[in-house]
Short mmCIF file of all heavy atoms in Angstrom, two decimals:
data_model
loop_
_atom_site.label_atom_id
_atom_site.label_comp_id
_atom_site.label_asym_id
_atom_site.label_seq_id
_atom_site.Cartn_x
_atom_site.Cartn_y
_atom_site.Cartn_z
N ILE G 25 -26.14 25.41 0.34
CA ILE G 25 -26.67 24.35 1.19
C ILE G 25 -25.57 23.82 2.12
O ILE G 25 -25.82 23.58 3.28
CB ILE G 25 -27.21 23.14 0.28
CG1 ILE G 25 -28.32 23.68 -0.52
CG2 ILE G 25 -27.59 22.00 1.15
CD1 ILE G 25 -28.76 22.70 -1.61
N ALA G 79 -37.76 8.57 9.78
CA ALA G 79 -37.72 7.44 10.70
C ALA G 79 -36.71 7.61 11.81
O ALA G 79 -37.05 7.61 12.97
CB ALA G 79 -37.49 6.18 9.93
N GLY G 105 -14.46 14.29 27.20
CA GLY G 105 -13.39 14.16 26.24
C GLY G 105 -13.67 14.76 24.84
O GLY G 105 -13.15 14.36 23.87
N ALA G 107 -12.82 17.43 23.35
CA ALA G 107 -11.76 18.03 22.66
C ALA G 107 -11.01 17.04 21.78
O ALA G 107 -10.42 17.36 20.74
CB ALA G 107 -10.79 18.73 23.58
N ASP G 147 -28.80 -2.56 -10.89
CA ASP G 147 -27.51 -2.81 -10.31
C ASP G 147 -27.61 -3.59 -8.98
O ASP G 147 -26.80 -4.51 -8.75
CB ASP G 147 -26.84 -1.41 -10.03
CG ASP G 147 -26.23 -0.87 -11.28
OD1 ASP G 147 -26.21 -1.64 -12.28
OD2 ASP G 147 -25.76 0.26 -11.26
N TYR G 152 -24.67 -6.58 -7.79
CA TYR G 152 -24.43 -6.35 -6.32
C TYR G 152 -25.39 -7.19 -5.54
O TYR G 152 -25.66 -6.88 -4.39
CB TYR G 152 -24.56 -4.90 -5.98
CG TYR G 152 -23.50 -3.99 -6.64
CD1 TYR G 152 -23.85 -3.18 -7.69
CD2 TYR G 152 -22.17 -4.10 -6.31
CE1 TYR G 152 -22.98 -2.42 -8.33
CE2 TYR G 152 -21.25 -3.28 -6.93
CZ TYR G 152 -21.67 -2.50 -7.97
OH TYR G 152 -20.73 -1.72 -8.60
N LEU G 153 -25.92 -8.30 -6.10
CA LEU G 153 -26.92 -9.05 -5.42
C LEU G 153 -26.44 -9.71 -4.14
O LEU G 153 -27.10 -9.57 -3.07
CB LEU G 153 -27.45 -10.13 -6.38
CG LEU G 153 -28.61 -11.00 -5.77
CD1 LEU G 153 -29.76 -10.15 -5.51
CD2 LEU G 153 -28.96 -12.07 -6.70
#
Side-chain angles (χ1 to χ4, degrees):
Chain G
I25 297 169
D147 279 353
Y152 299 107
L153 182 61

